[in-house]
Amino acid sequence: MASTPLDQSSDLAHDRSRPGWLAWWLLAVAAMVVLIVAVGGITRLTESGLSITEWNVASGVLPPLSDAQWQAEFAKYRATPEYRYEAGPAGMTLADFKAIFFWEWFHRLLGRVIGLAFALPLAFAWIRGWIPIGYAPRLLALLALGGLQGVFGWLMVRSGLGGTMTDVSHFWLSIHLCTALVTLAGLVWTALDLQALDRDRAARPARFRPIAMLAGAVLFLQILLGAWVAGLNAGHASNTWPLMQERIVPEADLSQGLFFAVTHDPFLLHFLHRWFAWAAFGALLWLGLRALSREDNAGKALIGLAMGQVLLGIVTVVTGVSLWIAVAHQVTGALLVAATATAAHAVGRRPQGHGE
């Protein structure tokens, strides 16, 4: 039997959910994810990622506090292939080790802080009954993604600690980065759904439209290529634009087949990331223009960030992967993911009172 207005008023009166509070909390966590992506970029670019060779969830919160502790950590690092084949021959000192240790320690500390910043408010909201009906599974999925992110981060580090590896696996690096950015998109999308619910308790979650699926898939592939470029240091394959090796298509090593080259050859990956960027730009521009009619600011933000990201990519190349420009390129990529989620949400938002 259909609910009467009196029944609906009674339901609202007993509704203890706080979608507005939850939305702001998720956006705060999303901002922290952008920050850790920035620190992760610095960690990678300063070759700091292998400086901590163990994963100690509790005891790893504090950095070494005495000279003996620093010497012990440095001894563990000196046993790694990175030190034996690169850092050691380059003359690394304890002071140099402390500098790279800081960025990896800070990156891990932020990961712990984000985990607590998500898990503790979630538990509190659950106990208080603040989570709207239907949102608990989504929030638990985001929590699980955060936990997986920590596991993937350690598997990434471990991949660079054995044999003759002097860097982490670019495959694990891409899994680590892409999981973070998928989590970021999920945080933003869920926060926007909750904001809509806060404005109108009859609001339904936005739909993921085909245009959003296409733009998201193209952006994901471009980010994946970028992660492989980063993991293989392929950004250094060329410092000229638009030509590479004085040609549009660079020479690539195809001796082990096209698939191996596409996933391992630095020159070919640099070329693919460089030019597939225009396909990503076109897809995001299309989504941004569609979003303008639904949410003006969302469309403008996406178009502006897409343009900025292309320019930053070019500047990163011609400056020989300058540290802070490369970090800005990575941070803008994270912001672009958030903007894509916002524009996709605007396009998929249901009209008020829609009952489907």
Side-chain angles (χ1 to χ4, degrees):
M1 184 172 64
S3 299
T4 66
L6 182 60
D7 293 332
Q8 293 174 350
S9 299
S10 177
D11 290 341
L12 289 174
H14 290 88
D15 183 8
R16 295 188 298 156
S17 66
R18 301 282 186 88
W21 182 91
L22 293 172
W24 283 112
W25 159 59
L26 291 179
L27 290 175
V29 175
M32 296 173 70
V33 172
V34 174
L35 175 61
I36 200 172
V37 168
V39 174
I42 298 171
T43 302
R44 174 180 55 79
L45 289 161
T46 55
E47 302 288 343
S48 304
L50 296 175
S51 58
I52 302 179
T53 61
E54 297 174 343
W55 189 24
N56 299 314
V57 177
S59 60
V61 171
L62 294 176
L65 299 176
S66 67
D67 185 65
Q69 289 177 330
W70 276 115
Q71 292 291 351
E73 289 295 330
F74 193 25
K76 295 174 187 175
Y77 179 65
R78 290 200 301 269
T80 65
E82 182 178 67
Y83 179 86
R84 295 198 308 270
Y85 298 120
E86 288 187 358
M92 172 175 278
T93 64
L94 179 60
D96 298 327
F97 172 71
K98 288 180 178 181
I100 66 169
F101 185 97
F102 168 78
W103 286 113
E104 175 64 7
W105 169 79
F106 187 44
H107 186 57
R108 296 190 186 195
L109 179 64
L110 276 177
R112 292 179 173 93
V113 170
I114 292 173
L116 291 174
F118 192 91
L120 295 181
L122 175 60
F124 179 79
W126 197 298
I127 293 170
R128 298 289 294 177
W130 287 3
I131 301 174
I133 295 174
Y135 281 84
R138 217 194 295 191
L139 294 173
L140 289 174
L142 289 170
L143 178 64
L145 277 174
L148 277 175
Q149 184 67 351
V151 174
F152 291 156
W154 170 242
L155 291 173
M156 177 186 69
V157 170
R158 194 176 69 173
S159 71
L161 296 177
T164 59
M165 292 289 291
T166 58
D167 289 299
V168 300
S169 162
H170 62 292
F171 294 124
W172 277 115
L173 186 149
S174 65
I175 291 171
H176 187 52
L177 177 62
C178 290
T179 303
L181 296 179
V182 168
T183 304
L184 174 61
L187 289 167
V188 172
W189 186 284
T190 303
L192 293 172
D193 272 345
L194 287 166
Q195 285 184 337
L197 187 64
D198 189 48
R199 291 190 297 267
D200 176 11
R201 290 306 175 101
R204 301 282 303 281
R207 291 176 170 176
F208 198 36
R209 302 286 186 184
I211 184 176
M213 294 180 189
L214 175 62
V218 173
L219 179 59
F220 181 86
L221 181 54
Q222 176 65 357
I223 290 171
L224 179 66
L225 289 170
W228 289 351
V229 166
L232 292 169
N233 295 315
H236 297 282
S238 173
N239 63 356
T240 59
W241 192 92
L243 301 181
M244 294 179 63
Q245 303 169 335
E246 299 184 351
R247 52 196 297 179
I248 292 292
V249 181
E251 292 183 7
D253 182 7
L254 301 176
S255 61
Q256 300 185 64
L258 180 60
F259 179 79
F260 186 88
V262 167
T263 55
H264 290 82
D265 185 83
F267 293 95
L268 184 57
L269 276 169
H270 183 121
F271 168 78
L272 292 173
H273 185 58
R274 175 183 291 207
W275 294 109
F276 191 73
W278 295 105
F281 177 77
L284 296 175
L285 179 62
W286 183 26
L287 177 61
L289 292 172
R290 286 286 299 275
L292 284 174
S293 61
R294 301 296 299 273
E295 181 61 52
D296 186 60
N297 289 334
K300 289 179 178 178
L302 179 57
I303 294 170
L305 283 167
M307 294 173 63
Q309 184 69 335
V310 169
L311 292 174
L312 276 171
I314 295 171
V315 175
T316 299
V317 168
V318 299
T319 58
V321 194
S322 170
L323 173 63
W324 294 111
I325 293 175
V327 170
H329 185 51
Q330 182 157 320
V331 172
T332 304
L335 294 175
L336 192 58
V337 168
T340 300
T342 304
H345 189 276
V347 170
R349 194 170 55 224
R350 303 169 192 248
Q352 188 172 358
H354 198 282
E356 291 182 14

